[in-house]
Amino acid sequence: MKPSPQLFSRRSALKAMAATTTAVIATDLFQRAAAAEKKFPQLKGRINHSVCRWCYPGIPLAELCAAAKEIGITGIDLVGPKEWPILKQYGLHAAMPHGAGKGIEEGFNDPALHDELVASYETVIPQVAEAGYDQLICFSGNRRGLDDEQGIRHCADGLKRLMGTAEKYGVTLVMELLNSKVDHPDYQCDHTEWGAALCDAVGSNRFKLLYDIYHMQIMEGDVIATIRKYHPYIAHYHTGGVPGRNEIDETQELHYPAIMRAIAETGFKGYVAQEFIPKRSEPLESLEQAIRICDV
């Protein structure tokens, strides 16, 4: 039986509507993708970007992860085991995990703490590896009257006890270089040369340094030359505007594009994490700007 003209026209109309709807959806998706690409153009890929969680206390971690993903950031710094599942939901890497130790002021330069620190790190190192990560932050601790040679010797004695575990699980312990002039009075690992000497004393590729550009500009300056000289000892970088640890733009004394080029020229394949405290009312705009500045 021949279909009626009315049925034929209805089928034609429905097909036409479906085709139009598909075209509209495709156009909308294309326009949205183009708009996102225009707002967040694809990064060059010479720098692996991360961001420090603590700098955005007013933003839920899931929201920060979503924004980071959109900007092109692939890592989040200074997050512990309870937060790792959220990162995994967004396909982000815990670029510098924490979760072991006793904090900045009580570290490996105090032999009285070695048993406690070793037990803590031996617990967390396997967790880091199981989660698919390969670094874990650590600290020297405050001097409390120790001279530099004593501090290196004490730190090395404690860290050597962990190198077998670190090597077994493929996790690098990374000691952060911090300034003792403004933010962390009496902290011992406050110069790159001291940190490099400690690396030599430990004698394992599973112990390296976190070179914090903000802190080392305050302590010693000469950032680019220092990076070029000591880059084999450096596993990770942090940023920050000097003075004030605010945006890394024209308001401060460091020229980050040149610093990033110097890092890339060393062949560095690790992460550079933004660790400035945004002053703007829209902190994620500051973060996006910082990534563009460092995308060299």
Side-chain angles (χ1 to χ4, degrees), residues 169-245:
Y169 287 97
V171 173
T172 301
L173 299 187
V174 186
M175 183 172 287
E176 185 165 13
L177 292 154
L178 302 171
N179 83 74
S180 59
K181 188 176 180 181
V182 177
D183 299 284
H184 303 286
D186 203 42
Y187 184 73
Q188 187 145 41
C189 185
D190 62 352
H191 281 79
T192 311
E193 185 177 7
W194 188 93
L198 175 57
C199 289
D200 288 339
V202 173
S204 170
N205 284 332
R206 286 300 172 185
F207 176 74
K208 289 186 179 290
L209 303 175
L210 192 169
Y211 184 89
D212 190 303
I213 299 164
Y214 160 79
H215 287 294
M216 291 302 95
Q217 171 67 3
I218 291 172
M219 289 305 298
E220 58 193 22
D222 209 16
V223 168
I224 289 177
T226 301
I227 288 169
R228 287 173 174 162
K229 179 177 180 180
Y230 290 105
H231 72 87
Y233 298 94
I234 299 170
H236 201 81
Y237 289 90
H238 281 173
T239 74
V242 181
R245 199 202 278 276

Side-chain angles (χ1 to χ4, degrees), residues 219-280:
M219 289 305 298
E220 58 193 22
D222 209 16
V223 168
I224 289 177
T226 301
I227 288 169
R228 287 173 174 162
K229 179 177 180 180
Y230 290 105
H231 72 87
Y233 298 94
I234 299 170
H236 201 81
Y237 289 90
H238 281 173
T239 74
V242 181
R245 199 202 278 276
N246 298 123
E247 280 81 356
I248 60 169
D249 54 21
E250 70 282 352
T251 63
Q252 52 96 53
E253 65 193 33
L254 290 165
H255 183 59
Y256 269 92
I259 295 171
M260 292 300 116
R261 283 192 290 271
I263 291 172
E265 287 165 2
T266 68
F268 180 70
K269 301 301 182 185
Y271 277 86
V272 174
Q274 301 297 329
E275 196 185 21
F276 64 89
I277 302 171
K279 291 191 298 183
R280 295 176 180 161

Side-chain angles (χ1 to χ4, degrees), residues 24-87:
V24 169
I25 292 172
T27 301
D28 180 58
L29 290 173
F30 177 80
Q31 289 174 343
R32 286 167 60 186
E37 187 174 351
K38 184 176 181 181
K39 185 178 180 182
F40 302 109
Q42 186 173 1
L43 300 178
K44 295 182 177 69
R46 297 183 74 200
I47 300 293
N48 294 316
H49 298 282
S50 184
V51 57
C52 290
R53 168 74 185 109
W54 74 269
C55 298
Y56 301 85
I59 300 176
L61 179 56
E63 185 178 332
L64 179 64
C65 287
K69 191 82 173 178
E70 189 174 35
I71 292 169
I73 295 168
T74 57
I76 305 288
D77 268 39
L78 305 180
V79 286
K82 292 181 180 179
E83 299 166 304
W84 297 343
I86 298 176
L87 271 62

